[in-house]
Amino acid sequence: MHLDDLPDGGARGFDVPGLRCKVIVVRRGDQVFGWRDLCPHYAGGTPMAWKRDAYLNGAGTHIACHAHGAWFDMETGACVQGPCLGKRLTRVPLRVDETGTVSTLP
Ligand code: FES
């Protein structure tokens, strides 16, 4: 994926070889944050979007799980509202190279 594929403030899900879930990539300016698309509300995790790439709450301020309404901080992955307070998303380390290409780190 390229940074230009994701508008500032947006989020998209991507398939990554070797992962059984999508990776949510959130962009804030020139920074990107990667999270496994697995809500920590239930053991093992649950996909969070109700439709393709619908990973944010209505105001676009948090990552949202549409199953039971949990909200997560985009930069830390911490649950800030909902049934899994005290838990957090699993980070996927990302790298943006000099051309703007975004890739996962091993
Ligand atoms: S599965 Fe995400 S809030 Fe319940």
Side-chain angles (χ1 to χ4, degrees), residues 11-105:
R12 284 182 58 188
F14 293 89
D15 292 311
V16 173
L19 282 185
R20 67 178 175 93
C21 63
K22 287 187 179 287
V23 172
I24 304 167
V25 178
V26 181
R27 178 176 175 185
R28 282 277 180 92
D30 288 336
Q31 286 191 297
V32 289
F33 304 92
W35 306 102
R36 289 191 181 205
D37 182 10
L38 294 174
C39 181
H41 182 196
Y42 288 125
T46 304
M48 298 194 291
W50 65 276
K51 68 175 186 177
R52 183 179 174 143
D53 295 330
Y55 289 110
L56 301 182
N57 63 340
T61 58
H62 293 82
I63 298 169
C65 177
H66 292 84
H68 307 106
W71 286 12
F72 300 90
D73 184 279
M74 292 182 186
E75 299 185 13
T76 68
C79 178
V80 297
Q81 173 179 304
C84 43
L85 282 173
K87 296 183 179 177
R88 62 183 58 240
L89 301 174
T90 302
R91 183 182 298 277
V92 177
L94 300 176
R95 169 180 186 266
V96 182
D97 73 13
E98 61 282 349
T99 68
T101 299
V102 181
S103 56
T104 57
L105 292 171

